[in-house]
Amino acid sequence: MTAALPLKLELRIRKAAVLGAGVMGAQIAAHLTNAGVETVLFDLPAKEGPRSGIALKAIENLKKLSPAPLADKNLAAAIIPANYDEHLPLLGEVDLVVEAIAERMDWKLELYRKIAPHVSPSAVLASNTSGLSINGLAEALPESLRHRFTGVHFFNPPRYMHLVELIPTRLTDAKVLEGLEAFLTTAVGKGVIYARDTPNFIGNRIGVFSMLATMHHTEQFGLGFDVVDALTGPTVGRPKSATYRTADVVGLDTMAHVIKTMADTLPDDPWHAYFKAPAWLAGLIEQGALGQKTGAGFYRKAGKDIVVLDVAKRDYRPSEQKTSDEVAAILAIKDTAEKFAKLRASNDPQAQFLWATFRDLFHYAAYHLADIADTARDVDLAIRWGYGWKLGPFETWQAAGWQQVAGWIAEDIAAGKAMSQAPLPAWVTDGRSGVHGKGGSWSASANADKPRSRHPVYARQLFPDPILGEKFDQGTTVWENEGVRLWTRGDDGVGILSFKTKMNTVNDHVLDGIQQAIDVAEQQLKAVVIWQSGEPFSAGADLKGALGLLQAGKLDAFEAMVDNFQRTSMRIKHALVPVVAAVRGLALGGGCEFQMHAARTVAALESYIGLVEAGVGLLPAGGGLHELAVRAAQANPADPFESLKKVFETVAMAKVSASALEAKQLGLLRESDVVVFNPYELLYVAKKVALSLAESGWRPPLYARAIPVAGDVGTATFRASLANLQAGYFASEHDVEIARRIADTLCGGAIERGALVDEQWLLDLERKHFVELAQTEKTQARIAHTMTTGKPLRN
């Protein structure tokens, strides 16, 4: 008798195919490859050269794009190029097919008919459309495929934008959606939002309307494009690119196409009259000024200057990007309700412009909520994750005082000031204080509040991205001082160590706090995870405090601080409980050194890790060079120099990894360190790793007493390469001096090649060079310049 196979509970995706090697298709393939999914990239057969030449060219181009779609450029070789004439049988081997060809319904339907016979009977088929009807697309599929078909809309660029919209058809199997949601969340690292099958879904429906409203009011109030960008950027919690710079980056032709899609597919929308490109936008497109890709759009470069289009003059003028004094003062008000009250009451055209754009955005989002999304939370997260806003439209409205703002909107509608005369939905004025509360977020279609999804994948997010007013369990404090807090969440015995300083920099309170927290953990806990509630992990040492000691001539205190830094790193490394570093965002200088000494690092993909001390005229002295020398000896005891070549360049050039995967290439993470794609799962995974180390009988590494070093021969070899750099004017004399000292420390000092030293020897050498460099005039000038300007000084 044969045993029954267990039920397939999860969607396992070993291999994927992406159809369409254009900008989005190629970058989706790149990010799936980042995530360790073997991916085939299809396109039409080339008319000349290799038959899969179009896909090959797209893969090669991935290495040149900025921001980089590949987390490690070497991954380009893993993407399999293919064409529709020769390789359709490969679709029978894949678990996920993502179609990402041009936004033409007829082209997509024709392609579906072509591929349908070849798709595996268990594969999921998804269309990466930004707004076409998913149910309409499903009609071209055979009955057997329809329940496995859905819309999956990545935002550009796919590696970096957190949002993915999942748009089911009427027939999509619930299990398929659950499996795809889990895969996209954990394996690919995305924030998944379910959208209704309506034109442009949620993100682009609301985001593009916001841009249209901004464009309309730009004309209405006679403001310059640069002034509007000054008003609609970081000052209101939006990206630096604001409105018109964003349009230039997206492409004005693409922008016009999306607007036309809204006009064609939403004839009954009460705002339909505004779904058209303004005359000046149409004029730019006609001239071929399509934005960044053509070198000119709303802005263009004139030499070193940026000039902006002046509609009245029909020419470009210098960009000023200035808000009025009155509006700047209003926007500086921290209380959102007071801020909005003053914007509405002001006679300043810039204030009136801002109120009008917010008013019409709130009006539009409320009117359409029931049609486009399940809850207000979905709208807010879609806009935050897809457009980079700090708060979504409903969050902003609620923070500004829901009923107060609702009354103003109603007044403006009645007075004919709003873009549409459509009434606000009845629920808006039912006495509520907002749409987000303890019971969840408002669902206009269900006429009730709904809590967050109970999908099991979200149990991995101990601290999800909070919606306005949402609070999560902050755990129980075990021990704390001015610099750190050691706390627990749950009863798993894992302590969480978080810093209290700005940018999580390292000062004496943090150093002493880490050591004392580990003392406590060894007595009371199984393991420790160093984790910060946001970014960065740590921007490194507190330079201000260090420079103050130097300038005051307190050399003994300065050296004691360096010694304490090293002692802290070694305490992390030799703790009797495993200490795991959970890294996200920047981990620079001392922050990088702490994670290097941890039993294991669990890093979010978007971790930017580096020993950057050379940039401020110093060398790593929190044990970082010591640790690299120890690792080189362990990797190649017969000739540590071979393993030092790469890390010497990494440190001497103050390189910072562009991802956690690249940090492994640079030698700043170990192969055994774990990379997590969803940053909100970082703490969960780090705790599991820490527990597994503890449960497997963790013992810290033995203190190394016989470390073979590269010695003076290794240092001399590095110095020879430095001489070439200086001769070619690629490095200043002080750069070379810093690099020489880095080389000397990595190679163990002026001793014979192959000599054996202990860890303290390396730490003492590292500290000696650091203190001597810190006393030089040029290094102190570099530190002061970086503190003042935030930029490195070459001297």
Side-chain angles (χ1 to χ4, degrees), residues 474-481 484-498 500 513 516-528:
Q474 299 299 307
T476 303
T477 300
V478 177
W479 180 88
E480 65 183 323
N481 70 350
V484 304
R485 176 187 178 228
L486 178 67
W487 52 288
T488 56
R489 192 173 189 270
D491 56 1
D492 55 9
V494 178
I496 303 164
L497 187 60
S498 303
K500 297 180 180 181
Q516 290 180 61
I518 291 173
D519 288 344
V520 172
E522 287 178 338
Q523 298 299 316
Q524 300 180 30
L525 300 167
K526 295 179 182 178
V528 172

Side-chain angles (χ1 to χ4, degrees), residues 620-631:
L625 295 181
H626 137 275
E627 182 63 19
L628 290 172
V630 170
R631 290 183 189 181

Side-chain angles (χ1 to χ4, degrees), residues 392-411:
F394 288 118
E395 289 177 296
T396 306
W397 183 351
Q398 184 165 325
W402 186 272
Q403 289 301 329
Q404 172 178 264
V405 171
W408 291 338
I409 296 172
E411 285 176 25

Side-chain angles (χ1 to χ4, degrees), residues 377-539:
R377 177 176 51 248
D378 295 333
V379 172
D380 281 340
L381 291 179
I383 292 297
R384 277 165 45 178
W385 295 343
Y387 280 76
W389 296 11
K390 284 188 178 176
L391 290 177
F394 288 118
E395 289 177 296
T396 306
W397 183 351
Q398 184 165 325
W402 186 272
Q403 289 301 329
Q404 172 178 264
V405 171
W408 291 338
I409 296 172
E411 285 176 25
D412 282 7
I413 294 170
K417 294 180 180 179
M419 288 170 68
S420 168
Q421 296 301 298
L424 284 168
W427 58 264
V428 170
T429 52
D430 65 2
R432 67 180 54 246
S433 59
V435 289
H436 304 300
K438 289 181 180 178
S441 294
W442 177 250
S443 171
S445 56
N447 200 37
D449 288 332
K450 286 191 177 182
R452 280 181 177 265
S453 168
R454 291 187 173 85
H455 190 301
V457 74
Y458 298 115
R460 298 168 59 88
Q461 298 186 17
L462 303 183
F463 290 91
D465 195 359
I467 212 75
L468 182 73
E470 202 170 17
K471 303 289 183 188
F472 302 110
D473 178 9
Q474 299 299 307
T476 303
T477 300
V478 177
W479 180 88
E480 65 183 323
N481 70 350
E482 286 184 49
V484 304
R485 176 187 178 228
L486 178 67
W487 52 288
T488 56
R489 192 173 189 270
D491 56 1
D492 55 9
V494 178
I496 303 164
L497 187 60
S498 303
F499 300 175
K500 297 180 180 181
T501 49
K502 186 178 180 181
M503 295 286 284
N504 298 317
T505 51
V506 180
N507 58 21
D508 286 333
H509 295 301
V510 171
L511 294 172
D512 294 342
I514 291 172
Q515 293 176 54
Q516 290 180 61
I518 291 173
D519 288 344
V520 172
E522 287 178 338
Q523 298 299 316
Q524 300 180 30
L525 300 167
K526 295 179 182 178
V528 172
V529 171
I530 304 176
W531 176 82
Q532 320 297 0
S533 61
E535 296 183 31
F537 174 73
S538 174

Side-chain angles (χ1 to χ4, degrees), residues 115-116 119-120 123-125 141-149:
I115 65 165
V119 175
S120 159
V124 173
L125 173 62
L141 297 171
E143 202 68 40
S144 60
L145 246 176
R146 290 187 185 185
H147 71 283
R148 292 181 279 128
F149 175 69

Side-chain angles (χ1 to χ4, degrees), residues 118-166:
H118 301 277
V119 175
S120 159
S122 59
V124 173
L125 173 62
S127 175
N128 179 65
T129 174
S130 59
L132 295 178
S133 169
I134 302 301
N135 282 290
L137 290 171
E139 289 174 9
L141 297 171
E143 202 68 40
S144 60
L145 246 176
R146 290 187 185 185
H147 71 283
R148 292 181 279 128
F149 175 69
T150 184
V152 56
H153 179 211
F154 286 83
F155 273 61
N156 192 20
R159 171 183 161 189
Y160 300 95
M161 299 309 292
H162 192 60
L163 177 64
V164 167
E165 291 177 317
L166 197 53

